[in-house]
mmCIF file of all heavy atoms in Angstrom:
data_model
loop_
_atom_site.group_PDB
_atom_site.id
_atom_site.type_symbol
_atom_site.label_atom_id
_atom_site.label_comp_id
_atom_site.label_asym_id
_atom_site.label_seq_id
_atom_site.Cartn_x
_atom_site.Cartn_y
_atom_site.Cartn_z
ATOM 1 N N LYS B 681 27.837 11.760 9.134
ATOM 2 C CA LYS B 681 27.287 10.406 9.059
ATOM 3 C C LYS B 681 25.767 10.451 8.918
ATOM 4 O O LYS B 681 25.114 11.312 9.493
ATOM 5 C CB LYS B 681 27.601 9.651 10.350
ATOM 6 C CG LYS B 681 28.967 9.026 10.380
ATOM 7 C CD LYS B 681 29.057 8.145 11.625
ATOM 8 C CE LYS B 681 30.507 8.010 12.098
ATOM 9 N NZ LYS B 681 31.375 7.381 11.090
ATOM 10 N N THR B 684 21.895 6.491 11.193
ATOM 11 C CA THR B 684 21.525 5.086 11.112
ATOM 12 C C THR B 684 22.052 4.336 12.323
ATOM 13 O O THR B 684 22.918 4.814 13.062
ATOM 14 C CB THR B 684 22.130 4.433 9.860
ATOM 15 O OG1 THR B 684 23.557 4.510 9.956
ATOM 16 C CG2 THR B 684 21.678 5.139 8.581
ATOM 17 N N ALA B 687 25.830 3.873 11.961
ATOM 18 C CA ALA B 687 26.629 5.004 12.432
ATOM 19 C C ALA B 687 26.657 5.044 13.959
ATOM 20 O O ALA B 687 27.708 5.260 14.577
ATOM 21 C CB ALA B 687 26.051 6.308 11.878
ATOM 22 N N ASN B 689 26.384 2.617 16.018
ATOM 23 C CA ASN B 689 27.266 1.570 16.529
ATOM 24 C C ASN B 689 28.735 1.878 16.290
ATOM 25 O O ASN B 689 29.587 1.571 17.126
ATOM 26 C CB ASN B 689 26.899 0.232 15.902
ATOM 27 C CG ASN B 689 25.763 -0.427 16.648
ATOM 28 O OD1 ASN B 689 25.832 -0.611 17.850
ATOM 29 N ND2 ASN B 689 24.691 -0.736 15.945
ATOM 30 N N CYS B 716 12.577 13.732 12.538
ATOM 31 C CA CYS B 716 12.160 14.100 13.893
ATOM 32 C C CYS B 716 10.746 13.592 14.148
ATOM 33 O O CYS B 716 9.812 13.940 13.427
ATOM 34 C CB CYS B 716 12.213 15.612 14.079
ATOM 35 S SG CYS B 716 11.657 16.116 15.717
ATOM 36 N N CYS B 719 8.438 16.852 15.171
ATOM 37 C CA CYS B 719 7.950 17.863 14.222
ATOM 38 C C CYS B 719 8.043 17.401 12.772
ATOM 39 O O CYS B 719 7.774 18.182 11.870
ATOM 40 C CB CYS B 719 8.701 19.182 14.416
ATOM 41 S SG CYS B 719 10.396 19.159 13.800
ATOM 42 N N GLN B 720 8.452 16.125 12.537
ATOM 43 C CA GLN B 720 8.467 15.525 11.191
ATOM 44 C C GLN B 720 9.537 16.131 10.293
ATOM 45 O O GLN B 720 9.568 15.850 9.100
ATOM 46 C CB GLN B 720 7.092 15.631 10.506
ATOM 47 C CG GLN B 720 5.938 15.184 11.363
ATOM 48 C CD GLN B 720 5.839 13.676 11.502
ATOM 49 O OE1 GLN B 720 6.530 12.941 10.800
ATOM 50 N NE2 GLN B 720 5.028 13.188 12.411
ATOM 51 N N ASN B 723 15.844 17.491 9.275
ATOM 52 C CA ASN B 723 17.110 18.219 9.357
ATOM 53 C C ASN B 723 17.705 18.004 10.745
ATOM 54 O O ASN B 723 17.341 18.668 11.707
ATOM 55 C CB ASN B 723 16.830 19.702 9.082
ATOM 56 C CG ASN B 723 18.093 20.458 8.738
ATOM 57 O OD1 ASN B 723 19.189 19.890 8.731
ATOM 58 N ND2 ASN B 723 17.947 21.748 8.466
ATOM 59 N N MET B 724 18.625 17.033 10.831
ATOM 60 C CA MET B 724 19.133 16.619 12.136
ATOM 61 C C MET B 724 20.630 16.868 12.227
ATOM 62 O O MET B 724 21.320 17.021 11.230
ATOM 63 C CB MET B 724 18.894 15.115 12.338
ATOM 64 C CG MET B 724 17.479 14.640 12.049
ATOM 65 S SD MET B 724 16.257 15.241 13.210
ATOM 66 C CE MET B 724 16.378 13.983 14.473
ATOM 67 N N LEU B 729 26.386 12.832 23.995
ATOM 68 C CA LEU B 729 25.772 12.845 25.324
ATOM 69 C C LEU B 729 26.859 12.591 26.369
ATOM 70 O O LEU B 729 27.845 11.912 26.102
ATOM 71 C CB LEU B 729 24.682 11.769 25.407
ATOM 72 C CG LEU B 729 23.581 11.893 24.342
ATOM 73 C CD1 LEU B 729 22.611 10.727 24.439
ATOM 74 C CD2 LEU B 729 22.835 13.211 24.489
ATOM 75 N N ILE B 749 23.733 -16.608 27.231
ATOM 76 C CA ILE B 749 24.113 -17.926 27.744
ATOM 77 C C ILE B 749 25.531 -18.249 27.277
ATOM 78 O O ILE B 749 26.349 -18.769 28.027
ATOM 79 C CB ILE B 749 23.084 -18.981 27.293
ATOM 80 C CG1 ILE B 749 21.730 -18.695 27.955
ATOM 81 C CG2 ILE B 749 23.558 -20.396 27.638
ATOM 82 C CD1 ILE B 749 20.564 -19.506 27.416
ATOM 83 N N GLY B 752 28.145 -17.034 29.369
ATOM 84 C CA GLY B 752 28.318 -17.688 30.663
ATOM 85 C C GLY B 752 27.224 -17.396 31.669
ATOM 86 O O GLY B 752 27.283 -17.840 32.812
ATOM 87 N N TYR B 753 26.218 -16.631 31.250
ATOM 88 C CA TYR B 753 25.127 -16.350 32.174
ATOM 89 C C TYR B 753 24.124 -17.501 32.177
ATOM 90 O O TYR B 753 24.091 -18.322 31.260
ATOM 91 C CB TYR B 753 24.430 -15.045 31.788
ATOM 92 C CG TYR B 753 25.315 -13.842 31.984
ATOM 93 C CD1 TYR B 753 25.965 -13.249 30.896
ATOM 94 C CD2 TYR B 753 25.526 -13.317 33.257
ATOM 95 C CE1 TYR B 753 26.798 -12.148 31.080
ATOM 96 C CE2 TYR B 753 26.356 -12.212 33.444
ATOM 97 C CZ TYR B 753 26.986 -11.641 32.352
ATOM 98 O OH TYR B 753 27.806 -10.558 32.539
ATOM 99 N N GLY B 754 23.309 -17.551 33.221
ATOM 100 C CA GLY B 754 22.332 -18.621 33.311
ATOM 101 C C GLY B 754 21.561 -18.540 34.610
ATOM 102 O O GLY B 754 21.619 -17.527 35.319
ATOM 103 N N ASP B 756 21.931 -19.763 37.470
ATOM 104 C CA ASP B 756 22.678 -19.517 38.699
ATOM 105 C C ASP B 756 23.546 -18.268 38.609
ATOM 106 O O ASP B 756 24.219 -17.903 39.571
ATOM 107 C CB ASP B 756 23.563 -20.732 39.011
ATOM 108 C CG ASP B 756 22.721 -21.966 39.251
ATOM 109 O OD1 ASP B 756 21.636 -21.817 39.858
ATOM 110 O OD2 ASP B 756 23.126 -23.058 38.797
ATOM 111 N N ASN B 757 23.565 -17.661 37.432
ATOM 112 C CA ASN B 757 24.404 -16.484 37.229
ATOM 113 C C ASN B 757 23.644 -15.477 36.371
ATOM 114 O O ASN B 757 23.951 -15.286 35.210
ATOM 115 C CB ASN B 757 25.726 -16.914 36.547
ATOM 116 C CG ASN B 757 26.658 -15.745 36.341
ATOM 117 O OD1 ASN B 757 26.605 -14.750 37.071
ATOM 118 N ND2 ASN B 757 27.506 -15.839 35.326
ATOM 119 N N SER B 761 19.801 -6.259 32.903
ATOM 120 C CA SER B 761 19.503 -5.366 31.779
ATOM 121 C C SER B 761 18.656 -4.230 32.323
ATOM 122 O O SER B 761 17.841 -4.431 33.225
ATOM 123 C CB SER B 761 18.728 -6.103 30.690
ATOM 124 O OG SER B 761 19.513 -7.132 30.127
ATOM 125 N N GLY B 762 18.850 -3.050 31.772
ATOM 126 C CA GLY B 762 18.105 -1.923 32.305
ATOM 127 C C GLY B 762 17.795 -0.872 31.268
ATOM 128 O O GLY B 762 18.235 -0.943 30.121
ATOM 129 N N VAL B 764 18.061 3.237 30.987
ATOM 130 C CA VAL B 764 18.757 4.331 31.657
ATOM 131 C C VAL B 764 18.212 5.656 31.139
ATOM 132 O O VAL B 764 18.084 5.852 29.929
ATOM 133 C CB VAL B 764 20.274 4.232 31.381
ATOM 134 C CG1 VAL B 764 21.015 5.383 32.064
ATOM 135 C CG2 VAL B 764 20.806 2.886 31.852
ATOM 136 N N GLU B 765 17.883 6.541 32.074
ATOM 137 C CA GLU B 765 17.440 7.888 31.684
ATOM 138 C C GLU B 765 18.636 8.813 31.786
ATOM 139 O O GLU B 765 19.234 8.967 32.854
ATOM 140 C CB GLU B 765 16.312 8.353 32.601
ATOM 141 C CG GLU B 765 15.720 9.675 32.154
ATOM 142 C CD GLU B 765 14.429 10.001 32.892
ATOM 143 O OE1 GLU B 765 13.602 9.072 33.068
ATOM 144 O OE2 GLU B 765 14.265 11.152 33.320
ATOM 145 N N GLY B 769 17.881 13.772 28.950
ATOM 146 C CA GLY B 769 16.459 13.488 28.779
ATOM 147 C C GLY B 769 16.117 12.130 28.200
ATOM 148 O O GLY B 769 15.309 11.412 28.784
ATOM 149 N N ILE B 772 17.468 4.913 27.160
ATOM 150 C CA ILE B 772 17.956 3.862 26.265
ATOM 151 C C ILE B 772 18.127 2.563 27.037
ATOM 152 O O ILE B 772 18.376 2.584 28.242
ATOM 153 C CB ILE B 772 19.282 4.294 25.580
ATOM 154 C CG1 ILE B 772 19.741 3.277 24.526
ATOM 155 C CG2 ILE B 772 20.401 4.502 26.596
ATOM 156 C CD1 ILE B 772 19.769 3.796 23.142
ATOM 157 N N PRO B 784 18.511 -8.610 43.307
ATOM 158 C CA PRO B 784 17.889 -7.488 42.590
ATOM 159 C C PRO B 784 17.198 -6.505 43.523
ATOM 160 O O PRO B 784 17.040 -5.336 43.173
ATOM 161 C CB PRO B 784 16.885 -8.183 41.661
ATOM 162 C CG PRO B 784 16.664 -9.531 42.246
ATOM 163 C CD PRO B 784 17.939 -9.902 42.918
ATOM 164 N N ALA B 811 26.667 -0.046 27.643
ATOM 165 C CA ALA B 811 26.491 -0.520 29.015
ATOM 166 C C ALA B 811 26.562 0.680 29.961
ATOM 167 O O ALA B 811 27.031 1.759 29.596
ATOM 168 C CB ALA B 811 27.575 -1.535 29.361
ATOM 169 N N PRO B 814 27.258 1.594 38.029
ATOM 170 C CA PRO B 814 27.039 2.576 39.103
ATOM 171 C C PRO B 814 28.185 3.590 39.139
ATOM 172 O O PRO B 814 29.326 3.255 38.838
ATOM 173 C CB PRO B 814 27.025 1.722 40.374
ATOM 174 C CG PRO B 814 26.666 0.351 39.902
ATOM 175 C CD PRO B 814 27.266 0.221 38.545
#
Side-chain angles (χ1 to χ4, degrees):
Chain B
K681 276 188 207 299
T684 62
N689 276 306
C716 178
C719 74
Q720 311 285 350
N723 197 358
M724 310 292 273
L729 303 176
I749 294 170
Y753 293 101
D756 298 323
N757 182 26
S761 296
V764 179
E765 186 169 318
I772 186 116

